[in-house]
Amino acid sequence: MKHLDSFEVGHYRGIDGLSLPDLTHANLITGSNGVGKTALLEAIWLFTGRHNSNLLWNANVQRSLEQIVDPIAALTTGKVDLSGIEAGSSHRYQVSFEQHISNPSRVTIPGTEDLPQLPIVGELRSRLDSIDMQGDRAVRQTPAGLVMHTVDRTQEQVSCIIEGTGWLLDANDEHLARYSELVKRGHKKELKAAMGLILPRITDVEILTNESGRSYVSALTSSGTRLPLKDLGAGIVRLFRLYLSFFTARNGMVLFDEIENGIHYSVLNTLWDRVRLWMNTWNVQVVASTHSSECIDAAIAAFEKNPQELSIHQLYVDSTSGELRANCFTGELLEGARELDLEVR
């Protein structure tokens, strides 16, 4: 199991020098709008996937569907700088973009023979623990030309799944593959039970293909109506992907932005009971942000018998320095957190 014991953002988006020194099995991130909760989850995801610099071009990280040449420009000035203690070992991941002034006319990197003969216009320079990352020299095609980057396939990576509110809600090929694996392993009944928290009338879930040949997730209701899952509301899609994430991230991590999004407050207690069950069943560490005081109360209630497994991290801007900081509440301090205004909105 590779869980994060602590995490620090040196530079990422608007976050500079934020430290979370005490991460537990379950972690809730609170704070006012725009304080940096989503960026923090993204930073953790990139850190856990640090052996694959290709993740920096992810459309959800870039928050754009446009083809990007320099993925660092939208994320920070200079270099992304992330550190953490993972399974007792300290690591520091730094990556910057270096634009090439001279553009060779021929690509000589192995495995690029089938690509157009485009110029190499830049390179992602990745350093792990102060050493240039060693691995396969890969390239990414961009509108301006090819950008070199590193993919180290020899390293064991943490299984980390991230789900954000801004991330596309329709099930993509990755979600379909996760669902297929879940069915093969015999967990479809538990998936339907999870979705029943919102719609008890769902009797079946399966993958269908529409007229254009595109696969999608479909739900069958007790009335015999079959609809695309996304037509049943954001809450159902949220629960579907929530359960899939826990199943896929076995012995790893799941990151949820606004975990309560689309879910009625009346089922939050049951939801957190399920979250605690799933994380213990599959040995998954959870880091989730929330804008809901009801969600915080439900989480505290779910871990009442094991409060040391839950931490609440309150992000705030220091009034003196203007820097982002975090207060941590865990164990016996959780009861005190109930009485505080944690700036959840």
Side-chain angles (χ1 to χ4, degrees), residues 184-202:
K184 290 177 184 177
R185 289 178 175 262
H187 293 285
K188 187 174 179 179
K189 182 177 180 180
E190 293 100 312
L191 171 65
K192 289 189 291 185
M195 296 166 66
L197 291 176
I198 291 181
L199 284 181
R201 67 178 187 272
I202 291 180

Side-chain angles (χ1 to χ4, degrees), residues 71-89:
I72 304 300
L75 305 180
T76 192
T77 301
K79 67 178 66 174
V80 169
D81 187 359
L82 308 171
S83 303
I85 298 178
E86 184 182 86
S89 298

Side-chain angles (χ1 to χ4, degrees), residues 62-238:
Q62 291 297 322
R63 303 179 187 180
S64 171
L65 294 177
E66 296 181 6
Q67 287 185 297
I68 305 296
V69 178
D70 173 8
I72 304 300
L75 305 180
T76 192
T77 301
K79 67 178 66 174
V80 169
D81 187 359
L82 308 171
S83 303
I85 298 178
E86 184 182 86
S89 298
S90 299
H91 299 287
R92 185 177 185 184
Y93 175 53
Q94 298 171 295
V95 56
S96 59
F97 178 81
E98 180 180 293
Q99 183 174 356
H100 284 201
I101 299 176
S102 59
N103 297 325
S105 58
R106 182 174 176 79
V107 177
T108 58
I109 300 174
T112 63
E113 294 81 3
D114 295 333
L115 289 175
Q117 296 301 299
L118 298 174
I120 297 177
V121 297
E123 179 179 2
L124 281 186
R125 302 298 299 271
S126 302
R127 292 176 65 82
L128 184 57
D129 304 332
S130 302
I131 300 174
D132 288 336
M133 282 182 57
Q134 302 297 317
D136 295 343
R137 304 301 293 162
V139 293
R140 186 179 185 90
Q141 186 170 338
T142 74
L146 302 178
V147 176
M148 294 189 293
H149 62 95
T150 302
V151 179
D152 192 345
R153 297 183 177 90
T154 66
Q155 298 295 319
E156 181 184 358
Q157 299 185 39
V158 175
S159 176
C160 183
I161 308 296
I162 184 170
E163 290 287 351
T165 53
W167 294 43
L168 299 176
L169 276 180
D170 201 1
N172 56 29
D173 291 343
E174 185 175 1
H175 292 102
L176 298 181
R178 293 176 192 171
Y179 172 74
S180 297
E181 180 65 18
L182 180 144
V183 173
K184 290 177 184 177
R185 289 178 175 262
H187 293 285
K188 187 174 179 179
K189 182 177 180 180
E190 293 100 312
L191 171 65
K192 289 189 291 185
M195 296 166 66
L197 291 176
I198 291 181
L199 284 181
R201 67 178 187 272
I202 291 180
T203 60
D204 195 17
V205 181
E206 61 181 341
I207 298 175
L208 298 179
T209 303
N210 60 23
E211 294 178 354
S212 62
R214 181 177 176 81
S215 297
Y216 65 97
V217 179
S218 172
L220 178 67
T221 68
S222 55
S223 64
T225 303
R226 189 176 293 280
L227 295 168
L229 193 66
K230 62 184 180 65
D231 289 355
L232 295 175
I236 281 294
V237 176
R238 190 68 163 173

Side-chain angles (χ1 to χ4, degrees), residues 198 260 262-268:
I198 291 181
E260 78 284 355
I263 298 174
H264 196 266
Y265 73 89
S266 62
V267 299
L268 286 174

